[in-house]
Structures are given as structure tokens and as C-alpha cells.
Amino acid sequence: MNAADDKTIVREYFNSTGFDRWKRIYGDGEVNKVQLDIRYGHQQTVDKVIGWLKNDGNLSELSICDAGCGVGSLSIPLATEGAKVFASDISEKMVEEGKQRAIQALGNASNPTFAVQDLESLTGNYHTVICLDVLIHYPQDKADEMISHLCSLAESRIIISFAPKTCALSLLKKIGSFFPGASKTTRAYLHREADVVKIIEKNGFTVQRQEMTKTRFYFSRLLEATRK
């Protein structure tokens, strides 16, 4: 399968069965143990990003692009803190759910601004560009293109997360213990940290902070890089 096929699969998945599944995971309703574990892990990653930005002390002054925003798990808290947030996702259903959650949380839908877009079609300039738990759906060559494009939109900083490619996680994936079966999800790609850092540095950024989130079923490496 080529990268275009991956994009089609991701769009169709998150507009159908994937939407229902991940809406539950990113919500607060009842889920099974695996989904609860993934919810907990993803929230840890979101909380780490919010913590980084809040600790810098200028969050209310920032323009932020949340690329692959899902249902707004990151966008809405950042807007609540005063940041100007542009949130996008390849899935129309995810975006509509994000809008509704923003209205419930903030009382309006003007900030965050939501749009249905894939990463390659994003335009504009933002102080900080963030992309969480998206690269897992794409192979390394496509991930490189996506990271490069996101870097071109970032004036000062890019924050990304990815499932790291290690011997242990590769084995878990192979035996089917790390990801749900093919009928429940898109293809899952692991990425070597060295490869991700290389493409970030090639685009003029230097990694400043790193975190690792690890639960039983959720593994995510988080990197923050700033322009040199």
C-alpha cells in the first residue's frame, strides 16, 4: 500500500467505526480495560504538552496549530488558557465532535477554530505547531513529509509525538498484543526516534524537551523542538 492509500484508510476509518471507538476513548464514558488504558495514556501526553506550555508563562500570547486534533482533547484546554488555537483533522466527524465539545466547554465555537483538513493541506504561520498521535498511521517516508510540512508552518516551535520503534515494541506489535486487530484500526507504524530527530533538525529545529508515556497498551514519545 502507498501513502495515499494510508490517508484514505485513515479518513474512512475515523469517519466510520473508528470515530465511534475513539469518541468513547477520548470521552469519559464507560469503556473496556484496553480502551481505558489508552485513554489514560493519551491524556498523559496531552497533560504533558499543556504543562510545558503553561510553565513557559506565555500561553495566552501564543497562536497554536493543533494538527490532527481529534475531538479537541488538546485544543479545548489550550483555548481555555487563552491561546489562539487552529484545530484541524482529516475526519469530518472528529471535527464536528470537537466543535460540539468546545461549545459545551467554552460556550462558543470561535476559539478553537476547527477545520476538516489533512496535514499536507494546512497553511498559515503559527508560533507553535503540535501534532499528537498522528504519525502512527503513516510510514516513515510519509511521516518525514508531514513533519517537514508542519515545520514550515511553525515560527518558533514544533511538538510531536509518535510510537517509538524499539525491539520490544516491534515484537509486541508483531504478536498482536500492542494494537487492536486489523478490523478495528488502521495500520500502525512505529518510528525510530533518530529518524524523527533527523528530519526535525533538517528543517532547522533543535530538540529541547523529551518525554515518554508508557502504559500497558499506549506508548508515545513526545518531542519539543525550537527553531535554531
Side-chain angles (χ1 to χ4, degrees), residues 151-205:
C151 286
S152 74
L153 307 177
E155 297 173 347
S156 298
R157 172 172 52 195
I158 183 169
I159 299 175
I160 62 175
S161 72
F162 56 94
K165 189 172 186 178
T166 65
C167 292
L169 295 188
S170 295
L171 178 60
L172 283 172
K173 179 187 174 185
K174 186 175 182 179
I175 65 177
S177 298
F178 182 43
F179 296 105
S183 64
K184 297 181 180 179
T185 189
T186 63
R187 287 187 291 267
Y189 296 95
L190 309 181
H191 301 286
R192 297 184 189 279
E193 183 169 350
D195 293 334
V196 176
V197 171
K198 181 179 179 180
I199 196 68
I200 288 173
E201 292 179 343
K202 181 180 178 180
N203 283 278
F205 289 76

Side-chain angles (χ1 to χ4, degrees), residues 10-182:
V10 170
R11 180 186 293 109
E12 292 179 350
Y13 172 70
F14 283 103
N15 274 325
S16 56
T17 58
F19 170 72
D20 294 329
R21 180 172 185 266
W22 289 97
K23 177 184 175 182
R24 292 196 304 272
I25 290 175
Y26 294 150
D28 54 11
E30 185 176 347
V31 290
N32 63 43
K33 290 182 179 180
V34 173
Q35 293 170 336
L36 182 62
D37 182 85
I38 295 172
R39 175 192 291 174
Y40 178 64
H42 177 75
Q43 189 59 50
Q44 284 188 59
T45 296
V46 169
D47 289 344
K48 287 172 183 176
V49 172
I50 294 172
W52 282 354
L53 300 184
K54 289 179 69 174
N55 289 340
D56 288 345
N58 63 341
L59 183 51
S60 63
E61 303 170 10
L62 303 185
S63 60
I64 296 175
C65 175
D66 182 10
C69 65
V71 297
S73 302
L74 176 66
S75 296
I76 294 170
L78 292 180
T80 301
E81 294 292 332
K84 183 64 176 177
V85 183
F86 177 79
S88 66
D89 199 276
I90 196 172
S91 166
E92 181 178 356
K93 284 194 172 183
M94 286 287 189
V95 167
E96 287 304 315
E97 178 67 17
K99 288 180 180 179
Q100 293 305 311
R101 293 190 183 193
I103 291 172
Q104 293 175 6
L106 302 170
N108 65 79
S110 61
N111 185 36
T113 300
F114 286 93
V116 181
Q117 286 181 283
D118 57 44
L119 267 61
E120 295 92 334
S121 65
L122 291 175
T123 59
N125 292 286
Y126 310 88
H127 179 278
T128 298
V129 174
I130 304 173
C131 184
L132 301 184
D133 296 349
V134 172
L135 299 183
I136 194 171
H137 302 298
Y138 299 97
Q140 187 62 52
D141 58 344
K142 190 61 176 177
D144 288 351
E145 293 177 10
M146 289 180 168
I147 293 170
S148 294
H149 182 62
L150 294 175
C151 286
S152 74
L153 307 177
E155 297 173 347
S156 298
R157 172 172 52 195
I158 183 169
I159 299 175
I160 62 175
S161 72
F162 56 94
K165 189 172 186 178
T166 65
C167 292
L169 295 188
S170 295
L171 178 60
L172 283 172
K173 179 187 174 185
K174 186 175 182 179
I175 65 177
S177 298
F178 182 43
F179 296 105

